[in-house]
Amino acid sequence: IKHKGFSFIEAVTQCPTEFGKRNPPKGPVEMLEEFRQRTISTKEAELLSPEELEGRLVSGLIYRDDSVPEFSQSYEAMLARVQPKGEGS
């Protein structure tokens, strides 16, 4: 939210309806607990090998590139270049 630019947020949550059918007899609470146990921070993940990361959920800032302009700023700049003077405001 504070980052000005593109952001991708992945929300991981339980799905007792579909996942629960295929992986019984877990309920919603047990599924959330399993997610909590499998989740590690990006700092913790940096210390693990690819084999150790298998099956883990990495939480935190995965990638950031501040050199790429934010879309709405780029779009407004493009509009300012292509609109004739006196139009659009």
Side-chain angles (χ1 to χ4, degrees), residues 4 69-85 87-89:
K4 195 166 196 164
E70 187 216 359
F71 174 75
S72 60
Q73 288 176 331
S74 298
Y75 185 71
E76 287 175 14
M78 185 265 314
L79 286 178
R81 285 193 313 268
V82 298
Q83 285 182 342
K85 299 286 184 211
E87 268 189 48
S89 297

Side-chain angles (χ1 to χ4, degrees), residues 2-55:
K2 293 179 183 178
H3 172 65
K4 195 166 196 164
F6 176 78
S7 295
F8 176 82
I9 299 172
E10 179 180 26
V12 179
T13 186
Q14 84 282 16
C15 179
T17 305
E18 187 60 34
F19 184 80
K21 286 181 196 175
R22 298 172 194 233
N23 301 283
K26 296 178 183 171
V29 174
E30 291 83 10
M31 287 182 205
L32 284 174
E33 181 59 28
E34 183 178 328
F35 285 148
R36 189 186 69 74
Q37 291 172 357
R38 290 178 44 204
T39 301
I40 59 171
S41 71
T42 51
K43 289 184 182 197
E44 292 172 301
E46 290 173 357
L47 304 173
L48 300 178
S49 69
E51 293 80 23
E52 293 171 310
L53 282 173
E54 195 166 320

Side-chain angles (χ1 to χ4, degrees), residues 48-72:
L48 300 178
S49 69
E51 293 80 23
E52 293 171 310
L53 282 173
E54 195 166 320
R56 304 302 296 262
L57 299 169
V58 180
S59 174
L61 181 61
I62 307 293
Y63 176 80
R64 182 174 182 155
D65 184 353
D66 292 324
S67 69
V68 178
E70 187 216 359
F71 174 75
S72 60

